[in-house]
């Protein structure tokens, strides 16, 4: 196999950002890899790199730009408006929930912490009794505010190159004809017929299977997961 630089790595930072914003799906993935090696040039353009994207959206390219800067040029990242005030992406909430810690965890690629915070938010959305007992009943999902579920989903999608999130899991389930028994091994929640042990056996990284996060406890059956993935507030994002 031939080695050496890929064509994307030979592009200027302006061309890289243009391909990341408007290229084909394959081009965007290749460009994301090349952008990792161009962190110094990326830092030089600062917030200009984010102009093609909406803070109210979930384009993973914007999340990737922020993550590359976080890893390699944190000083440049700190100069981007919104970063020090809770995060670049907007996080509306019908309950006044502060998503800044979760957005920071995802920016840091601390997916285990982001997953823990997601569970906390779901309990808060479910109500005081869910917070007290430490878990959510499936019957508590339908009244949850759709705007908050969308915020959770948007953040996961934006900071995972589009690989994680409720709508990602729902899309995979649909492709598997709605069969949860096929979904579990597909997203790495079951291996050789055995449930993956939490937390140590889960993959808390971008290399995890598509749809691997966020986690939902399946020990009491599929009704909680089904209620979340079919929530009306998430359907427009599906």
């Amino acid at each position: 196999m031939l080695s050496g630089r890929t064509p994307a790595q030979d592009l200027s930072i302006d061309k890289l950002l243009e391909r990341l914003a408007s290229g084909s799906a394959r081009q965007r993935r290749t460009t994301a890899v090349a952008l990792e090696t161009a962190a110094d040039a990326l830092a030089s353009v600062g917030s200009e790199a984010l102009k093609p994207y909406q803070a109210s959206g979930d384009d993973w390219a914007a999340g990737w730009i922020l993550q590359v800067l976080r890893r390699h040029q944190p000083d440049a990242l700190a100069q981007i408006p919104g970063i020090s005030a809770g995060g670049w992406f907007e996080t509306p909430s019908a309950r006044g929930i502060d998503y800044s810690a979760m957005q920071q965890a995802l920016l840091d690629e601390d997916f285990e912490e982001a997953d823990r915070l997601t569970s906390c938010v779901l309990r808060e959305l479910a109500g005081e009794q869910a917070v007290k007992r430490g878990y959510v009943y499936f019957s508590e999902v339908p009244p949850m505010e759709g705007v908050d579920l969308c915020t959770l989903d948007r953040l996961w999608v934006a900071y995972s190159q589009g690989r994680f999130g409720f709508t990602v899991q729902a899309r995979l389930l649909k492709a598997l004809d709605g069969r949860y028994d096929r979904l579990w091994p597909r997203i790495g929640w079951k291996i050789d017929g055995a449930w993956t042990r939490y937390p140590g056996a889960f993959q808390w990284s971008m290399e995890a299977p598509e749809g691997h996060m966020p986690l939902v406890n399946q020990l009491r059956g599929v009704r909680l997961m089904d209620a979340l993935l079919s929530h009306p507030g998430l359907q427009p994002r599906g």
Side-chain angles (χ1 to χ4, degrees):
M1 184 172 66
L2 295 176
S3 61
R5 297 173 62 84
T6 66
Q9 289 174 316
D10 293 324
L11 297 176
S12 68
I13 187 61
D14 290 340
K15 289 294 185 183
L16 282 174
L17 291 172
E18 180 182 340
R19 281 182 51 161
L20 188 66
S22 58
S24 66
R26 183 175 181 179
Q27 286 176 327
R28 297 183 89 204
R29 298 289 180 188
T30 303
T31 305
V33 174
L35 199 63
E36 183 86 45
T37 65
D40 291 348
L42 179 61
S44 71
V45 299
S47 59
E48 291 293 311
L50 296 168
K51 279 196 170 181
Y53 312 104
Q54 298 293 322
S56 58
D58 66 352
D59 195 315
W60 65 258
W64 182 248
I65 288 169
L66 296 169
Q67 286 168 322
V68 168
L69 290 174
R70 175 69 182 88
R71 286 193 294 275
H72 303 289
Q73 292 287 343
D75 290 341
L77 175 68
Q79 302 304 312
I80 293 178
I83 290 297
S84 62
W88 187 80
F89 286 97
E90 295 174 3
T91 54
S93 171
R95 296 280 297 275
I97 295 173
D98 182 357
Y99 289 96
S100 57
M102 181 178 168
Q103 184 159 191
Q104 185 64 51
L106 288 167
L107 175 63
D108 293 342
E109 297 177 69
D110 186 351
F111 293 116
E112 184 173 1
E113 175 66 4
D115 183 77
R116 186 188 70 78
L117 292 170
T118 298
S119 295
C120 289
V121 171
L122 290 176
R123 291 195 295 272
E124 187 171 349
L125 292 174
E128 183 178 349
Q129 293 304 312
V131 173
K132 288 181 178 179
R133 82 172 77 95
Y135 55 89
V136 176
Y137 287 136
F138 76 93
S139 58
E140 295 169 324
V141 173
M144 287 183 181
E145 289 82 355
V147 64
D148 284 87
L149 291 179
C150 284
T151 290
L152 286 171
D153 187 55
R154 284 177 47 245
L155 290 175
W156 275 105
V157 170
Y159 285 109
S160 68
Q161 290 195 17
R163 294 175 50 76
F164 308 137
F166 297 128
T167 51
V168 176
Q169 294 165 343
R171 173 173 52 78
L172 292 172
L173 179 64
K174 183 178 180 180
L176 296 170
D177 299 321
R179 291 184 54 180
Y180 280 98
D181 61 318
R182 296 173 62 188
L183 180 68
W184 306 144
R186 172 68 175 79
I187 64 178
W189 291 10
K190 234 179 185 182
I191 299 176
D192 297 328
W195 290 108
T196 304
R197 293 181 65 84
Y198 177 87
F202 281 89
Q203 296 177 247
W204 306 108
S205 72
M206 204 82 79
E207 285 69 45
E210 186 181 19
H212 194 60
M213 295 173 266
L215 308 186
V216 177
N217 192 334
Q218 298 308 312
L219 297 182
R220 289 183 293 276
V222 304
R223 291 199 288 183
L224 175 59
M225 181 79 162
D226 201 52
L228 279 168
L229 300 192
S230 62
H231 191 285
L234 289 173
Q235 297 317 299
R237 292 183 43 74

